[in-house]
Amino acid sequence: MSFDQVQPFPSYSGPEQVAFHRTELAVILSLYGRMVAAGEWRDYGISSLRDLAVFSVFRRTAENPLYRIEKRPKLRGRQGQYAVVGMDGQILKRGHDLKTVLRVLERKLIRSVT
């Protein structure tokens, strides 16, 4: 084997999958617990994909998600990496801070309790 045949190490291009961090999940699950206690939500699913992580919220297990909480790190410098997406695909709120983005769902909790 000569030096002409040596292959360089592949460059590190970042993580294989995007996932929610422990602190992010604590904020999301806190809201989820309150909505379950109010009887609004019943189930959830978490997906870790190559370019985004999704926390989906369901009213019943066998239906489409009511809301999707998405994390897209590539949008960190632009519109914000967090977004809440409705059932129809409409983005309800987008931003850099997860707690402020989730406030759009907390308003629905206040309306449903009163």
Side-chain angles (χ1 to χ4, degrees):
M1 184 162 133
S2 69
F3 287 107
D4 295 334
Q5 297 173 347
V6 175
Q7 296 290 325
F9 287 112
S11 63
Y12 181 72
S13 62
E16 290 292 320
Q17 292 180 335
V18 176
F20 287 104
H21 190 265
R22 178 188 232 163
T23 56
E24 295 167 336
L25 277 177
V27 172
I28 294 170
L29 289 174
S30 172
L31 173 65
Y32 176 78
R34 286 181 278 149
M35 294 299 264
V36 168
E40 292 291 316
W41 296 349
R42 302 253 170 118
D43 198 10
Y44 71 90
I46 299 176
S47 301
S48 295
L49 305 172
R50 182 175 289 265
D51 58 343
L52 79 148
V54 181
F55 186 96
S56 301
V57 177
F58 300 89
R59 188 180 308 263
R60 289 178 204 85
T61 306
E63 65 181 23
N64 293 330
L66 289 174
Y67 301 103
R68 292 188 328 258
I69 301 165
E70 297 182 352
K71 175 183 177 182
R72 294 179 185 259
K74 287 185 179 179
L75 297 177
R76 181 182 298 135
R78 296 183 200 123
Q79 302 129 334
Q81 66 178 342
Y82 302 108
V84 174
V85 181
M87 184 186 297
D88 56 353
Q90 181 181 9
I91 297 176
L92 303 177
K93 180 87 172 168
R94 182 184 298 266
H96 298 284
D97 183 36
L98 182 60
K99 289 182 181 181
T100 58
V101 171
L102 292 179
R103 281 191 199 143
V104 73
L105 298 176
E106 289 179 2
R107 289 187 199 136
K108 296 184 185 306
L109 176 64
I110 293 169
R111 289 182 193 150
S112 66
V113 171
T114 58

